[in-house]
Amino acid sequence: MFSGLDEKLTGYRPELWTIVAGTGVGKSTLASHLAWDLMANHGEPVGLMLLEQNNKKTLQQLIGINIGQPLYQQANAIPKQEQVEEGLKLFTDDNCFIFDHFGSTDSNDLLKRMSFLATGAGCRWIIFDHITMATTLGFDSDSSGLSERQMIDAITTRIRSQIVEGCGVGVIMVSHTRKATGGGEHADGSASVRISDIRGSGSIGQLSDAIISIEKMKD
């Protein structure tokens, strides 16, 4: 399904990949499709930490991808019983773990849960959407003075060292952009995404094994 990515990245490996694009361009959609591809086509157990949507929407999205229907937008596109049957075909007892993030106290807690997905649940890949949302939680009471850039640095460094290197799993992370270098907008396709446009102080570009940028085609 992702022949272009296979050609550029030579297949899935236990690395840190970051998807970056302007608002509304499709970062989360691509992340969900990659999660589905890992489960459906590669037999890889996946952990999902999607901080901007609830678990019901996540299930609808993955089942919808599997049958080619946008269930998260049109929940009644097919009867509920058929949705359940399709879900049973896609999901097994150990190929998909969805983290219920509501009630999380801080990013330190998120990283502990991420570590559990890797070591306790046996996930070979973790989808983390998105790092900017995680920075709003802080790390703990001692991190209240950190800026967003410093928080992004700290979280990215720990994902790389503790999860990817320490646990030996792959992480696909979603990140936002900041204002485009040289003018224009990433969201409308009037500016291309550069590494320097990734939100933060540069740690994502330095620590990621691959950066996948999405751009909207100009009319």
Side-chain angles (χ1 to χ4, degrees):
M1 180 177 180
F2 294 101
S3 58
L5 290 181
D6 286 340
E7 180 181 344
K8 295 290 185 181
L9 301 176
T10 63
Y12 293 108
R13 298 182 304 280
E15 298 178 338
L16 174 59
W17 296 358
T18 300
I19 299 172
V20 60
T23 301
V25 177
K27 301 182 296 296
S28 298
T29 299
L30 176 58
S32 295
H33 275 78
L34 289 172
W36 171 83
D37 186 52
L38 282 161
M39 288 188 293
N41 296 327
H42 296 270
E44 295 276 18
V46 176
L48 299 170
M49 304 185 74
L50 312 181
L51 303 185
E52 285 194 320
Q53 65 186 43
N54 60 44
N55 292 353
K56 178 180 178 180
K57 180 178 178 180
T58 299
L59 289 171
Q60 288 176 327
Q61 190 170 34
L62 290 170
I63 294 171
I65 293 170
N66 202 51
I67 63 175
Q69 294 280 356
L71 293 181
Y72 67 99
Q73 294 175 330
Q74 302 173 17
N76 297 319
I78 65 172
K80 295 295 184 182
Q81 184 57 36
E82 289 187 31
Q83 294 183 33
V84 171
E85 292 171 358
E86 291 297 333
L88 291 173
K89 294 176 184 177
L90 175 62
F91 303 116
T92 67
D93 290 337
D94 56 3
N95 75 341
C96 184
F97 297 84
I98 304 175
F99 171 58
D100 187 357
H101 59 87
F102 291 101
S104 296
T105 56
D106 53 39
S107 293
N108 191 45
D109 178 53
L110 291 180
L111 286 162
K112 289 180 180 177
R113 304 299 180 89
M114 194 178 291
S115 178
F116 170 77
L117 288 173
T119 59
C123 295
R124 298 297 302 154
W125 280 84
I126 296 172
I127 312 298
F128 182 40
D129 183 9
H130 54 84
I131 189 171
T132 311
M133 181 80 169
T135 64
T136 64
L137 299 173
F139 258 130
D140 48 41
S141 59
D142 296 329
S143 67
S144 57
L146 297 180
S147 67
E148 182 188 78
R149 288 187 174 193
Q150 291 171 320
M151 286 292 299
I152 289 175
D153 282 350
I155 296 171
T156 305
T157 298
R158 290 181 64 175
I159 288 175
R160 175 76 200 201
S161 61
Q162 295 179 14
I163 309 303
V164 177
E165 301 292 345
C167 299
V169 302
V171 175
I172 297 174
M173 182 172 72
V174 173
S175 176
H176 287 177
T177 60
R178 54 190 172 196
K179 190 173 182 179
T181 303
E185 296 289 341
H186 298 129
D188 64 10
S190 60
S192 295
V193 177
R194 304 178 183 180
I195 291 182
S196 59
D197 296 334
I198 300 174
R199 202 155 172 169
S201 63
S203 60
I204 291 176
Q206 294 166 359
L207 295 173
S208 297
D209 293 287
I211 296 173
I212 304 168
S213 68
I214 309 172
E215 298 180 9
K216 183 176 290 187
M217 295 184 64
K218 298 178 183 178
D219 295 334

